Amino acid sequence: MPDSATSTPTASHDAGRDDEHDDAPIATVGLEAAPTPLSLRLAPGAHADARRAFDLARETFVAGRRLDMGPLAASLGVDRTSVFRWVGNRDALLTEVLWSLAVPTLVQADRATASRTGAERVADLLTRFAGDLITAPYFRDFLTREPARALRLLTTKASPIQHRFLATCEWLVRTHLGDTPFGADDDGGSGIDPASLAYLLVRISESFTYADLITGETPEADRAAVAFRHLLRVPSSPA
């Protein structure tokens, strides 16, 4: 997931560390909801070797190259066993690399929409997030190179990434729409709850961001924007 100033919208795809984003609430929700052994090792000061391996893996990924454990170990001057001991298997490492790129992108999208409120802010933030995913070259390279693995890591419960994105979307809903997003329904019931609304927002994001892998259609942030705004009952932008 891209590091951007713009979607996960205008991005500086920085492969550096993301400590400057750690104090932003949107940056911490996902990791708190779904920590992993590797994410705990990557905490400041927790495990220097894991951090060193991770930083090199992230640089490799952002450069658009396939991330393999053998070449990674060789670049670090150690054997594969050491790398596996430090960071786990390839999927575990890719998961944290992908999420590390999503976090600054989410933070920047959050800051870019700070002048908006309520449902409009949520819709615009998620549109920006989707837009950067669609346009980040190294992310699209990964999807093209390893489509099955990408979908498994990004869109299923087999990986913490979807859990983190769900938690982040639920946090956005509760923060900007409250615990009863649209109030009571027509029958006097409580209406949709934040967790269910967050699930729908995630599915919209996935459907349009990975449209080429799911349906063969071209991914388009504008189409995602229409769906987000419709679901969140945001009036269409003037032409």
Side-chain angles (χ1 to χ4, degrees), residues 142-175:
F142 172 59
L143 297 182
T144 300
R145 190 169 56 241
E146 303 184 66
R149 173 174 268 111
L151 286 178
R152 176 166 54 79
L153 293 180
L154 293 164
T155 67
T156 73
K157 64 181 180 181
S159 169
I161 291 176
Q162 191 186 70
H163 292 285
R164 293 173 182 176
F165 191 31
L166 276 166
T168 301
C169 285
E170 183 174 348
W171 177 84
L172 285 170
V173 170
R174 291 187 185 277
T175 300

Side-chain angles (χ1 to χ4, degrees), residues 126 165-173 181 192-204 231-232:
L126 292 176
F165 191 31
L166 276 166
T168 301
C169 285
E170 183 174 348
W171 177 84
L172 285 170
V173 170
I192 193 168
D193 61 275
S196 297
L197 182 56
Y199 175 80
L200 294 174
L201 291 169
V202 167
R203 284 307 193 188
I204 288 173
L231 176 63
L232 292 167

Side-chain angles (χ1 to χ4, degrees), residues 71-160:
L72 179 64
S75 296
L76 291 166
V78 299
D79 58 27
R80 284 168 55 94
T81 302
S82 295
V83 175
F84 279 102
R85 188 170 66 249
W86 296 344
V87 301
N89 63 25
R90 185 167 181 263
D91 281 358
L93 183 55
L94 275 169
T95 292
E96 297 308 332
V97 167
L98 288 163
W99 188 252
S100 78
L101 293 165
V103 166
T105 305
L106 285 164
V107 170
Q108 291 163 14
D110 188 45
R111 291 172 179 168
T113 56
S115 63
R116 297 172 179 78
T117 59
E120 183 175 18
R121 182 170 185 179
V122 176
D124 288 355
L125 189 158
L126 292 176
T127 298
R128 287 171 176 268
F129 187 68
D132 271 4
L133 288 179
I134 289 168
T135 58
Y138 59 81
F139 187 70
R140 304 315 302 186
D141 286 346
F142 172 59
L143 297 182
T144 300
R145 190 169 56 241
E146 303 184 66
R149 173 174 268 111
L151 286 178
R152 176 166 54 79
L153 293 180
L154 293 164
T155 67
T156 73
K157 64 181 180 181
S159 169

